[in-house]
Amino acid sequence: MRVLGVDPGLTRCGVGVVEGVAGRPLTMLGVGVVRTAAEDDIGMRLVGIERGIEEWLDRFSPELVAVERVFSQHNVRTVMGTAQASAVAMLCASRRGIPVALHTPSEVKAAVTGSGRADKAQVGAMVTRLLRLSAPPKPADAADALALAICHIWRAPAQNRLQQAVAQNRLQQAAARHASAVKGRTR
């Protein structure tokens, strides 16, 4: 599985591509940051992020895009910019028919470090170790993007099994309701 991780942000949008499957060594294919200037108009910044994400999609052809789920912060201005950058990444992927998965920061931290409260340095250190890199990717947004991709690759098999179990349960419930309805009509 090849996953493009996106750590959304207006000034620095981290991007990283990881390939592999759960239980096997993973490979980093690329890592970087899509940057926009803080003094630019918001519309132009979003276009810049779109162009950057499109370039990464063209270059690496991921099977899935994993984006950090935006969570509430005290600084509304920051969360708005993050949400806007996140929406651009989701739009770029969806326009191409590429599935999008959202992961919370604590899910990513827990998957990569074992603790949902890990700090950026711990995440960077584990990404470096897991991908067998010589140094942590800089800036931290780039390391976070790789962590998102790793998280998804590791969590996808369990999520798929859970979704299949839920779907099977719904089918069984629907069949039971149908059988009950048919039985009620024949009386």
Side-chain angles (χ1 to χ4, degrees), residues 144-156:
D144 290 348
L146 291 171
L148 275 151
I150 293 167
C151 172
H152 186 78
I153 290 169
W154 284 357
R155 292 176 59 106

Side-chain angles (χ1 to χ4, degrees), residues 104-118 123 151 154-155:
T104 66
S106 59
E107 286 174 339
V108 174
K109 292 173 185 179
V112 175
T113 70
S115 170
R117 294 178 167 232
V123 171
C151 172
W154 284 357
R155 292 176 59 106

Side-chain angles (χ1 to χ4, degrees), residues 44 61 64 85 93 119 170-171:
M44 292 311 300
S61 302
L64 185 131
D119 62 25
R170 286 183 181 153
L171 283 173

Side-chain angles (χ1 to χ4, degrees), residues 41-62:
D41 173 70
I42 184 68
M44 292 311 300
R45 294 178 82 183
L46 294 173
V47 168
I49 291 169
E50 178 193 28
R51 288 181 181 147
I53 297 292
E54 291 288 349
E55 288 174 15
W56 279 81
L57 293 172
D58 287 342
R59 183 172 172 199
F60 292 101
S61 302

Side-chain angles (χ1 to χ4, degrees), residues 15-106:
V15 287
V17 181
V18 176
E19 189 168 62
V21 295
R24 304 252 174 152
L26 303 173
T27 303
M28 179 190 76
L29 301 180
V31 66
V33 176
V34 176
R35 296 180 187 272
T36 67
E39 63 273 5
D40 286 352
D41 173 70
I42 184 68
M44 292 311 300
R45 294 178 82 183
L46 294 173
V47 168
I49 291 169
E50 178 193 28
R51 288 181 181 147
I53 297 292
E54 291 288 349
E55 288 174 15
W56 279 81
L57 293 172
D58 287 342
R59 183 172 172 199
F60 292 101
S61 302
E63 298 166 58
L64 185 131
V65 175
V67 181
E68 183 176 275
R69 183 183 300 273
V70 178
F71 61 98
S72 178
Q73 295 175 328
H74 297 294
N75 186 340
V76 174
R77 186 173 170 182
T78 301
V79 79
M80 286 301 294
T82 302
Q84 290 164 335
S86 176
V88 168
M90 291 187 283
L91 175 68
C92 290
S94 297
R95 185 185 298 141
R96 293 172 180 237
I98 301 171
V100 175
L102 301 175
H103 298 284
T104 66
S106 59

Side-chain angles (χ1 to χ4, degrees), residues 117-185:
R117 294 178 167 232
D119 62 25
K120 291 221 179 253
Q122 291 171 306
V123 171
M126 284 306 295
V127 165
T128 302
R129 185 174 176 193
L130 293 168
L131 297 175
R132 300 167 314 281
L133 305 175
S134 58
K138 299 286 184 193
D141 309 273
D144 290 348
L146 291 171
L148 275 151
I150 293 167
C151 172
H152 186 78
I153 290 169
W154 284 357
R155 292 176 59 106
Q159 287 175 331
N160 290 342
R161 285 192 300 275
L162 180 61
Q163 288 171 347
Q164 288 171 349
V166 167
Q168 182 65 32
N169 186 29
R170 286 183 181 153
L171 283 173
Q172 290 171 345
Q173 289 175 351
R177 283 192 304 272
H178 178 72
S180 178
V182 168
K183 186 176 181 181
R185 280 187 248 146

